[in-house]
mmCIF file of all heavy atoms in Angstrom:
data_model
loop_
_atom_site.group_PDB
_atom_site.id
_atom_site.type_symbol
_atom_site.label_atom_id
_atom_site.label_comp_id
_atom_site.label_asym_id
_atom_site.label_seq_id
_atom_site.Cartn_x
_atom_site.Cartn_y
_atom_site.Cartn_z
ATOM 1 N N VAL A 987 103.742 102.977 82.879
ATOM 2 C CA VAL A 987 102.782 102.139 82.159
ATOM 3 C C VAL A 987 102.218 101.138 83.159
ATOM 4 O O VAL A 987 102.972 100.355 83.755
ATOM 5 C CB VAL A 987 103.458 101.377 80.992
ATOM 6 C CG1 VAL A 987 102.416 100.587 80.204
ATOM 7 C CG2 VAL A 987 104.208 102.341 80.067
ATOM 8 N N ALA A 1032 84.518 98.804 85.613
ATOM 9 C CA ALA A 1032 83.171 98.565 85.092
ATOM 10 C C ALA A 1032 82.248 99.727 85.487
ATOM 11 O O ALA A 1032 81.295 100.041 84.769
ATOM 12 C CB ALA A 1032 82.631 97.244 85.630
ATOM 13 N N LYS A 1061 99.559 109.395 69.572
ATOM 14 C CA LYS A 1061 100.918 108.949 69.247
ATOM 15 C C LYS A 1061 101.834 110.116 68.865
ATOM 16 O O LYS A 1061 102.996 110.155 69.257
ATOM 17 C CB LYS A 1061 100.841 107.952 68.081
ATOM 18 C CG LYS A 1061 102.121 107.241 67.750
ATOM 19 C CD LYS A 1061 101.898 106.218 66.650
ATOM 20 C CE LYS A 1061 101.991 106.861 65.271
ATOM 21 N NZ LYS A 1061 101.925 105.861 64.175
#
Side-chain angles (χ1 to χ4, degrees):
Chain A
V987 184
K1061 189 176 85 174

